[in-house]
Amino acid sequence: MRKIVSGLLAGAIVSSAAAVSAAPPAALVINGQKGKTEVSSQIIKGRAFVPVRELAEELGAVVKWDAAQQTVYVSTSKQNEGVSAEKSKKASSPEAMKLVINGQEVKSAVPPQIINGKAWVPVRDLAEGLGSGVQWNDSQKSVWITNKIVNPSAKDYKGQAMITFSYDDGLDTFYDFALPLHEKYGIPATDNVIAGKVKDGAQTMYLDADQMKDMYARGVEIGSHSYSHEEGLTNLSDEDLDFELRESKAVLEQIVPKVQTIGIPFSMYDERVKAAVKKYYQAARNFEHLQNDIPLADKLWLHTAIAVTNETTFDQIKQRIDEAVENKQWCIIMLHGIDPDNRDLYEIKPALLEKVLAYVASLGRDKILPVNTIDGVSLAVK
Ligand SMILES: [Zn+2]
């Protein structure tokens, strides 16, 4: 599939122009957002080029220009390169210019160039070097660049802090507003879905099965948030308690392959609930305004450091993140709806989410490793 798409893209670019052309070859659609970006593009020797800083920053990366080395450094972490962020004012010989992405030099068929004081690089080299997917959309004659959520592996955990974005209730605003931002910054997420409320035809505020499948394919963990979410689990009979836990997992596992964690509704639990949860899930997230120590004292029972509502400020969230970084703890942030209209207490605007994700990305994965709930549990027991 990748090969066919690459061929289409290359074909589209080659057919547009041979040398430097004034007209852009195609619109760029970045993380599903059309027309929002100001990134310009042009064809150089048959390849689509973009100004490196414009596209890299749109993709959540940091750009540094080392004039002495004639090298553009692009990194997903601020700590990777210690060179000056200043752009060179003098023109350089295009042949000598190098592009280094996350410490790896990228060898381009057509090398990066400086045009009117800006460094331009091939769009495909830059986007793929940052782990983004590049696809040609033939019907819209546009290049789609999509960042991917990066779920860490065991080698990424070196004793640093961790952070999880845990969304409750399975609201469809996650799909429209949160997912593109998580992809932009490559940061994982867990969405705890109320299995009995998955959208099925009727217009509701919940996710449907296709959205959940797509989210899973794009790296989002689907967790359970009980079957009905009507009652605190502590108030249920043994039989109803078992049903809420068992049936929610069974229903959700008809949509995605694995549901291993749960967000406890209303954070209501006791020893009986804990024992019942343990039968079906590897971890449960509650809300107690606590950080999780690593290694976990109780891997089944996870705390939330902060529940974000429309009364929460960026500084309050930042304070919890900084505290986790300082103490090398696992900070779990609980969220609900993400909506520009911001209609109730549990909805926040995308701008606040983006500010938090950008802050986490700026700290770098060596300081705080973004994980979903199940990956966090497996890393935090070591
Ligand atoms: Zn809930």
Side-chain angles (χ1 to χ4, degrees):
M1 189 59 200
R2 191 88 178 237
K3 284 245 160 62
I4 297 165
V5 167
S6 302
L8 282 172
L9 180 59
I13 288 165
V14 168
S15 66
S16 296
V20 176
S21 123
L28 296 180
V29 178
I30 298 170
N31 291 318
Q33 291 174 311
K34 284 166 256 177
K36 270 196 174 177
T37 172
E38 298 301 313
V39 177
S40 42
S41 62
Q42 62 177 304
I43 300 293
I44 300 172
K45 294 180 183 158
R47 309 251 161 176
F49 271 61
V50 287
V52 61
R53 185 176 301 274
E54 289 174 23
L55 179 59
E57 289 180 354
E58 277 293 321
L59 295 172
V62 175
V63 177
K64 283 163 186 170
W65 168 242
D66 182 343
Q69 301 294 320
Q70 290 292 293
T71 301
V72 178
Y73 290 96
V74 180
S75 57
T76 43
S77 158
K78 271 188 179 167
Q79 301 151 49
N80 284 3
E81 317 291 348
V83 293
S84 158
E86 286 309 304
K87 269 188 278 186
S88 171
K89 288 185 181 66
K90 66 179 167 81
S92 66
S93 64
E95 290 73 27
M97 212 178 123
K98 283 191 278 188
L99 172 64
V100 176
I101 300 176
N102 287 331
Q104 291 262 322
E105 187 181 342
V106 178
K107 298 278 186 192
S108 301
V110 183
Q113 343 226 320
I114 290 190
I115 302 164
N116 298 332
K118 277 185 189 173
W120 289 66
V121 299
V123 59
R124 177 172 292 280
D125 290 339
L126 176 59
E128 291 188 346
L130 286 171
S132 302
V134 180
Q135 292 183 304
W136 170 248
N137 182 312
D138 201 36
S139 60
Q140 294 185 27
K141 301 285 180 255
S142 53
V143 177
W144 287 52
I145 297 164
T146 310
N147 267 10
K148 292 170 189 160
I149 286 175
V150 184
N151 286 304
S153 56
K155 70 172 168 42
D156 297 313
Y157 181 65
K158 305 173 186 100
Q160 71 271 50
M162 300 198 300
I163 186 163
T164 296
F165 291 82
S166 177
Y167 292 81
D168 275 2
D169 297 358
L171 302 170
D172 65 3
T173 58
F174 177 89
Y175 191 81
D176 294 332
F177 302 109
L179 181 56
L181 291 173
H182 277 272
E183 287 185 324
K184 174 170 179 177
Y185 293 96
I187 292 180
T190 298
D191 202 324
N192 300 307
V193 175
I194 305 166
K197 294 191 175 167
V198 174
K199 192 189 286 176
D200 185 15
Q203 264 315 309
T204 69
M205 62 194 204
Y206 298 100
L207 293 162
D208 67 28
D210 285 344
Q211 288 172 322
M212 288 164 58
K213 284 189 172 106
D214 191 39
M215 282 158 55
Y216 187 90
R218 289 156 74 177
V220 175
E221 178 192 11
I222 302 295
S224 166
H225 195 39
S226 81
Y227 183 80
S228 67
H229 199 295
E230 307 263 293
E231 224 8 284
L233 297 179
T234 46
N235 296 335
L236 300 177
S237 68
D238 288 352
E239 198 187 333
D240 289 348
L241 171 61
D242 189 72
F243 174 85
E244 288 288 329
L245 299 170
R246 172 175 41 81
E247 189 65 10
S248 60
K249 183 180 168 80
V251 165
L252 296 174
E253 286 188 346
Q254 287 169 5
I255 299 169
V256 298
K258 270 187 183 169
V259 175
Q260 297 163 283
T261 67
I262 183 168
I264 301 295
F266 315 110
S267 200
M268 286 170 69
Y269 64 91
D270 53 21
E271 289 306 316
R272 185 182 64 113
V273 169
K274 280 187 173 188
V277 165
K278 208 173 178 173
K279 274 174 72 182
Y280 301 105
Y281 300 96
Q282 294 187 34
R285 198 225 66 228
N286 296 282
F287 171 57
E288 292 137 324
H289 209 264
L290 292 169
Q291 305 276 7
N292 297 284
D293 288 328
I294 307 173
L296 293 167
D298 180 355
K299 83 172 181 115
L300 185 69
W301 230 242
L302 307 175
H303 311 300
T304 294
I306 187 164
V308 177
T309 70
N310 69 11
E311 291 168 354
T312 310
T313 64
F314 171 74
D315 285 340
Q316 288 170 327
I317 304 169
K318 179 179 178 292
Q319 193 193 338
R320 299 302 268 170
I321 295 170
D322 291 346
E323 187 181 278
V325 169
E326 167 99 26
N327 300 318
K328 298 187 163 53
Q329 289 164 313
W330 181 11
C331 175
I332 300 181
I333 297 179
M334 181 173 89
L335 306 105
H336 289 79
I338 305 296
D339 194 332
D341 296 336
N342 196 198
R343 285 165 296 196
D344 74 39
L345 179 66
Y346 287 100
E347 277 185 346
I348 63 159
K349 296 195 177 193
L352 175 58
L353 175 63
E354 172 148 24
K355 200 170 174 189
V356 175
L357 292 171
Y359 180 64
V360 169
S362 79
L363 292 171
R365 283 156 56 94
D366 290 341
K367 259 196 188 143
I368 188 159
L369 186 65
V371 291
N372 64 28
T373 312
I374 189 64
D375 287 343
V377 170
S378 62
L379 295 176
V381 291
K382 282 169 193 152

